[in-house]
Amino acid sequence: MSRKVAVLGAGPGGYMAAVRAARLGAEVTLVEEGNLGGVCLNWGCIPTKAMLTSAEVLEKCREAAQFGVEIQGSVSPDMARMVERKDRIVQTQIKGIAGLLKQHGVSHVQGRASFEQGGELIVHTGEVGREPLEADRIIVAVGSSPLSVPAFPFDGRRILSSDHILSIPEIPESLIIVGGGVVGCEFATMFSRLGSKVTLVEALDRVLPLPSVDEDCSKVLQREMKKKKIACLLNTTVLSCQPTEKGIEAVVGPPGSRSASGPKSQQETLQAQAMLVSIGRAPNTRDLGLEWTDVGLDDKGWIITDESMQTGDETIFAIGDVCGPSRIMLAHVAAAEALIAAENALGGNLVMGYDTVPGCIFTAPEVANVGLTEAQARDKGFDCRADTVQVRTMGKAQAMGEIAGQAKTISDPASGRLLGVHLVGPHATELIAEAALALKTGCSVQDLAETIHPHPTLSEIMAEVAAKASGRPLHG
Ligand code: FAD
């Protein structure tokens, strides 16, 4: 079917949808107001991992003596060069996307899209440019932005969003991080490795308080953060903050106390050079003119779709972060939804499944998961079993000097069906792909245990924990 498709936003959702629609024969226009690659490439996945790698190299150098390697002279971070390296990587990837769009004949328009009266789609370019864009089907992939709250107004210097902190000129001596979710914990890891004194403030009772993260993983990570001298203040919120000559002063206390004028005995004043606020994301739907369409929004402004990624308007699909946290806000989810939306916009009938989406958190040690947590499995009525193997029992982990962590399987004891896998440890974010495949293809723990894993590798922990779950442990 030949159709005109407009895609709004060129993050991992938008550019993937544009390429797939073009491959399916559509005439595709991709409208992006900023850089190709969206948050993922410019402010999220790739830049953070580039900076985390620099921080890891620094830590490895500092620990070199443990490996029998003597470093003469001092080892120190150079923030400007780290940022430069990160920017180079981002630029290379942006060029890659531009080439891909060109190769598939996608026309890329730089501008801001919005709907106007009668549902007309308009692209605004420069100061005054305003061009209508005709399309039979529209895929909205405009993503999200750091959530800003009036109590902590971003100033880019002392009160920072995750966007700001990626380009700060100097490593802060001390850093308060508000929010112990994925973004907060990754930056805590990065800046602690770079030498900042980090204090993480989290309102709930654990770090990574996400439904998809097994409580055991949170415990292990918190223990390891403590060893690295990252202070985790749980059940605590920032009640107020104000700039000082040297940085920022924040009054913290239990979540219930709400204001800085509450009982002083429960409050503490923190001083730091900067404060990162990573308490969530807000949808980029505010000035999109969706009120001129039949697209439905929830009470926070996230777009509502069904599992075919169709909105309330039959010509408009939505994918990625703009669908909000009730879906999963990850780049690979946006990309998977993109393929579904592109097919369906062109007459397909696909549905998106969320049951086997892996989650990866790039802390030290890394955390990764797929499928149900132990608590979720029990809530769903499974009489499940949970089995755990410690990373320190693996020869490869000992050789690498990275022994913190564990692998945990959740399985149905009667059938051996694998229900969930939860990893904390070195390269957990790579190892989880095997577990995702196992869950997707309905593998039992026996199947996983009987799969020959190469030695010596970290992947052996998967066979080890699966063997334990099937009642035939290999060691121990
Ligand atoms: P986005 O990437 O947000 O792209 C939306 C695009 O739309 C933007 O380029 C924006 O400029 C454009 N746009 C907005 N409005 C308009 C308009 N009106 N007209 C035209 N263009 C518009 N996910 C992972 O899977 N792994 C990770 O390791 C990871 N790390 C992260 C680290 C950080 C610090 C952050 C903030 C996020 C991270 N994420 C990670 C999440 C990931 O970045 C997002 O899930 C992903 O980028 C969402 O893709 P998207 O295509 O939906 O939207």
Side-chain angles (χ1 to χ4, degrees):
M1 191 184 301
S2 171
R3 272 190 174 154
K4 286 186 176 172
V5 174
V7 181
L8 317 186
Y15 89 76
M16 289 290 285
V19 168
R20 177 53 63 96
R23 273 180 182 264
L24 293 170
E27 190 184 324
V28 184
T29 306
L30 175 63
V31 187
E32 168 58 57
E33 67 170 334
N35 289 342
L36 292 175
V39 170
C40 166
L41 182 47
N42 295 281
W43 313 107
C45 319
I46 304 300
T48 53
K49 275 69 216 181
M51 298 290 284
L52 275 161
T53 306
S54 293
E56 189 183 354
V57 170
L58 177 69
E59 191 175 68
K60 284 268 181 268
C61 290
R62 285 186 171 146
E63 291 171 355
Q66 290 174 26
F67 296 82
V69 176
E70 199 61 44
I71 293 183
Q72 310 271 331
S74 69
V75 174
S76 58
D78 180 336
M79 193 64 171
R81 281 171 65 193
M82 285 182 195
V83 171
E84 230 175 79
R85 173 180 181 272
K86 178 258 299 177
D87 290 342
R88 249 194 339 268
I89 293 166
V90 170
Q91 287 311 317
T92 306
Q93 296 297 104
I94 289 177
K95 279 190 200 138
I97 297 176
L100 192 70
L101 297 175
K102 196 167 169 206
Q103 183 193 337
H104 289 89
V106 172
S107 97
H108 166 210
V109 177
Q110 177 90 36
R112 177 173 182 78
S114 66
F115 295 92
E116 293 191 1
Q117 198 157 14
E120 195 182 12
L121 182 58
I122 305 291
V123 180
H124 306 267
T125 51
E127 292 277 292
V128 288
R130 187 185 172 282
E131 281 286 320
L133 177 59
E134 246 184 65
D136 304 304
R137 293 289 179 269
I138 297 166
I139 300 176
V140 179
V142 294
S144 66
S145 304
L147 179 66
S148 102
V149 288
F152 321 124
F154 295 132
D155 62 12
R157 220 161 52 86
R158 286 172 293 203
I159 305 184
L160 309 169
S161 71
S162 60
D163 291 0
H164 297 127
I165 203 165
L166 282 169
S167 300
I168 50 175
E170 279 171 18
I171 298 161
E173 264 171 43
S174 49
L175 178 67
I176 298 168
I177 299 183
V178 191
V182 175
V183 172
C185 285
E186 287 190 6
F187 279 111
T189 303
M190 184 192 301
F191 280 93
S192 147
R193 280 180 155 170
L194 291 175
S196 303
K197 178 177 172 285
V198 176
T199 306
L200 190 73
V201 183
E202 167 53 51
L204 297 178
D205 61 357
R206 59 176 176 134
V207 295
L208 302 177
L210 286 77
S212 56
V213 175
D214 197 273
E215 287 187 21
D216 281 359
C217 294
S218 296
K219 275 186 204 147
V220 175
L221 179 63
Q222 200 187 320
R223 185 190 70 206
E224 294 307 312
M225 283 178 144
K226 195 172 170 194
K227 284 188 198 161
K228 299 283 177 191
K229 306 222 168 355
I230 298 172
C232 295
L233 306 182
L234 302 179
N235 297 307
T236 304
T237 50
V238 175
L239 303 169
S240 68
C241 71
Q242 72 185 64
T244 61
E245 212 175 295
K246 289 195 176 150
I248 190 103
E249 187 177 274
V251 178
V252 300
S257 55
R258 289 223 153 258
S259 84
S261 55
K264 295 277 181 281
S265 59
Q266 297 179 327
Q267 295 177 4
E268 190 185 339
T269 301
L270 307 176
Q271 313 268 357
Q273 201 176 328
M275 182 167 91
L276 166 70
V277 182
S278 53
I279 52 173
R281 309 278 304 171
N284 290 337
T285 48
R286 239 189 47 202
D287 302 318
L288 204 54
L290 288 172
E291 61 279 15
W292 301 110
T293 70
D294 289 329
V295 173
L297 301 179
D298 72 9
D299 58 350
K300 296 211 163 78
W302 303 104
I303 295 182
I304 300 168
T305 72
D306 62 18
E307 292 197 341
S308 67
M309 309 321 298
Q310 176 119 44
T311 66
D313 189 315
E314 64 176 9
T315 60
I316 303 179
F317 294 76
I319 56 173
D321 273 17
V322 77
C323 300
S326 67
R327 296 292 164 79
I328 305 169
M329 293 171 73
L330 289 172
H332 44 283
V333 174
E337 290 173 340
L339 305 184
I340 305 278
E343 294 269 351
N344 292 347
L346 296 164
N349 190 22
L350 303 181
V351 293
M352 176 69 197
Y354 295 92
D355 289 348
T356 57
V357 172
C360 293
I361 303 153
F362 296 79
T363 42
E366 293 183 348
V367 176
N369 59 71
V370 63
L372 300 178
T373 62
E374 189 174 349
Q376 286 171 332
R378 295 203 194 284
D379 282 352
K380 281 186 183 280
F382 284 106
D383 175 24
C384 63
R385 63 177 284 169
D387 293 273
T388 309
V389 167
Q390 298 301 313
V391 169
R392 65 172 172 272
T393 62
M394 311 308 297
K396 180 67 185 289
Q398 291 283 350
M400 291 165 63
E402 293 187 48
I403 57 170
Q406 62 177 39
K408 178 173 177 180
T409 51
I410 315 297
S411 61
D412 174 23
S415 62
R417 186 178 148 207
L418 193 60
L419 301 171
V421 176
H422 300 272
L423 307 176
V424 203
H427 300 291
T429 59
E430 301 290 342
L431 299 180
I432 202 67
E434 176 186 4
L437 179 66
L439 249 81
K440 175 99 175 93
T441 53
C443 274
S444 65
V445 283
Q446 290 87 347
D447 292 326
L448 206 48
E450 286 165 12
T451 303
I452 299 174
H453 286 72
H455 177 77
T457 65
L458 296 169
S459 74
E460 287 172 288
I461 200 164
M462 295 298 299
E464 199 70 46
V465 68
K468 194 171 175 189
S470 54
R472 308 179 71 182
L474 302 174
H475 299 84

